Amino acid sequence: TEHQSTQHYNVAVPVLRAIAAISGIYDIAVGVSLTLGRPLLMWVFELPAPVPAIHADLNALFVTVVGIGYWWPYRDPVRHRWYLWLMGPVLKGAGAAVFTADYVLRGSPASFLTFAACDGTLAALTLWALAADRSPSTPSRPARTAGASPRR
């Protein structure tokens, strides 16, 4: 069942659950803002309209779906820790690095560093919680007896 994998709670599991909730809300908020609040974002960040608009539309879709995906690790952070690894340290960490590099190398607006800071913070917190968590990633299985066939 769903809760079998969370029976081996560690102090970090509630933290992983909180990080999944915060990350999911953050990503959905960014996606919805890119979709419904694009004029406001353009004004706040002093940006021209994206050309072609499909790039912003696809980014909005992508980040919203990533945010929705956090539902599963929120419900069961032990079973779905792979999602936390992939979308936290890997995606958000790389995103923070790309935002920062683009600012330094191509002169993107300094306001973009806000996203670098948010993504980088969430990536670091997720990495810290995942490294601190010692829960097994799958429920323990009964040991097989010697010579027993794996098929039944």
Side-chain angles (χ1 to χ4, degrees), residues 43 47 61 78 86 111 113:
W43 178 74
L47 297 172
L61 175 64
V78 173
L86 188 63
S111 58
L113 295 176

Side-chain angles (χ1 to χ4, degrees), residues 33-126:
S33 296
L34 285 171
T35 302
L36 302 177
R38 191 170 301 156
L40 177 62
L41 289 175
M42 289 166 35
W43 178 74
V44 168
F45 292 102
E46 300 177 354
L47 297 172
V51 178
I54 188 67
H55 292 296
D57 296 339
L58 289 172
N59 281 330
L61 175 64
F62 169 74
V63 75
T64 301
V65 171
V66 168
I68 291 168
Y70 275 105
W71 170 254
W72 284 271
Y74 170 76
R75 296 271 306 172
D76 189 344
V78 173
R79 178 180 287 169
H80 301 291
R81 66 188 295 116
W82 65 270
Y83 193 87
L84 294 171
W85 275 109
L86 188 63
M87 298 303 163
V90 175
L91 180 64
K92 283 184 174 45
V98 169
F99 272 119
T100 303
D102 197 62
Y103 170 76
V104 171
L105 301 173
R106 293 191 273 196
S108 65
S111 58
F112 281 18
L113 295 176
T114 302
F115 295 105
C118 291
D119 284 357
T121 299
L122 287 170
L125 286 172
T126 306

Side-chain angles (χ1 to χ4, degrees), residues 131-143:
D133 180 45
R134 297 293 177 230
S135 300
S137 58
T138 57
S140 58
R141 296 182 179 160

